[in-house]
Amino acid sequence: MLRRTARLLLSFVMVMAGIFGVSLATAGTAQADGCYTWSRNLSEGMSGADVTQLQIRVAGYPGYGGVLAIDGSYGPATKAAVTRFQQAYGLTADGLAGPQTFNKLYALQDDDCTPLHFSYAELNQCNSTWAGGAVSAATAKSNALRSMWKLEALRHALGDQSIRVTSGFRSTACNDAVGGASNSRHLYGDAVDLGAGPHSLCTLAKQARNHGFNGILGPGYPGHGDHTHVDHRSSRFWSASSCGI
């Protein structure tokens, strides 16, 4: 709670700085963060682990039908995603990752690198080890983190109202227990089921098309009348006929 309060105070300071023209710290002296701290400004043509970390956090801003590659290379698609992220949060939208962009990302994440409004526990209601699925535990957990950042983008686009997660990673045993398909993306840790709440299932399915999900299944697709499913499958498959998708 204290950390999240500090994040909110930081966001307020950034807004006031913009209003009164106060200069913020350069990237080299930007605030340290408990999860990850960028040490240089990033722009198109650069590469490295710091670009990868940036891509994970802006992967929810690829544009309609797009999927941002997490490859450590700051190409045109990454620049476009950074620009959309900046626009979404009222920052200078130049596609360059500098102090304002980094400080906003710091304000949006907890010390374990999850975005503020989602958690590892929320995306893994099966077991605490992330083991027993179709990939290694480390890969399943990494996939879930990428999903959470896309969900954070989806949540922000929908007015920062809560999104209810009903299922995430499943081990084979958990998947069998709920009658999941033998090739379910839940076994990879990159699938999330969303329940209705402040937003209808169709609203979730339609908006998800803008936030980097290749797989979207919802009302009208067999077995999905009570949830909207999103995942990172390798090629696009969207089906929610009751929603016009």
Side-chain angles (χ1 to χ4, degrees):
M1 182 61 71
L2 289 176
R3 181 175 177 78
R4 295 193 179 194
T5 299
R7 298 271 189 221
L8 292 173
L9 289 173
L10 172 63
S11 296
F12 175 76
V13 169
M14 289 174 63
V15 169
M16 296 306 292
I19 292 173
F20 293 106
V22 177
S23 176
L24 296 176
T26 64
T29 58
Q31 71 174 79
D33 187 78
C35 162
Y36 184 84
T37 301
W38 283 272
S39 60
R40 59 174 180 163
N41 293 340
L42 298 174
S43 59
E44 190 171 0
M46 301 177 76
S47 62
D50 48 1
V51 176
T52 299
Q53 291 295 325
L54 175 66
Q55 289 172 326
I56 290 170
R57 290 156 179 77
V58 300
Y61 294 91
Y64 182 90
V67 177
L68 181 65
I70 312 298
D71 58 6
S73 178
Y74 204 123
T78 298
K79 180 179 180 180
V82 170
T83 300
R84 293 188 189 96
F85 172 83
Q86 293 166 332
Q87 291 170 335
Y89 284 99
L91 308 178
T92 300
D94 55 10
L96 307 177
Q100 282 192 325
T101 299
F102 296 142
N103 283 331
K104 186 59 192 178
L105 290 172
Y106 297 151
L108 285 172
Q109 67 185 13
D110 283 323
D111 282 349
D112 65 354
C113 299
T114 60
L116 281 178
H117 301 103
F118 299 93
S119 69
Y120 283 120
E122 193 174 13
L123 265 73
N124 183 357
Q125 301 166 19
C126 175
N127 61 52
S128 60
T129 66
W130 298 87
V135 293
S136 70
T139 297
K141 190 173 183 179
S142 175
N143 287 342
L145 180 64
R146 297 181 184 192
S147 292
M148 281 187 268
W149 279 101
K150 293 182 180 184
L151 291 175
E152 186 73 21
L154 172 63
R155 185 185 189 278
H156 184 60
L158 291 174
D160 285 315
Q161 293 180 304
S162 63
I163 291 178
R164 185 165 65 93
V165 174
T166 61
S167 183
F169 167 74
R170 300 174 191 159
S171 66
T172 299
C174 288
N175 192 58
D176 290 346
V178 299
S182 61
N183 63 343
S184 172
R185 295 306 308 181
H186 290 279
L187 296 167
Y188 295 82
D190 67 13
V192 187
D193 290 345
L194 309 174
H199 312 291
S200 70
L201 297 178
C202 284
T203 294
L204 293 168
K206 289 178 178 179
Q207 186 62 42
R209 296 175 294 180
N210 299 301
H211 299 291
F213 294 107
N214 257 343
I216 303 174
L217 307 174
Y221 186 80
H224 289 71
D226 63 351
H227 68 280
T228 289
H229 167 104
V230 294
D231 67 47
H232 300 170
R233 67 188 65 196
S234 59
S235 60
R236 185 191 300 177
F237 184 75
W238 295 348
S239 183
S241 59
S242 295
C243 308
I245 299 175

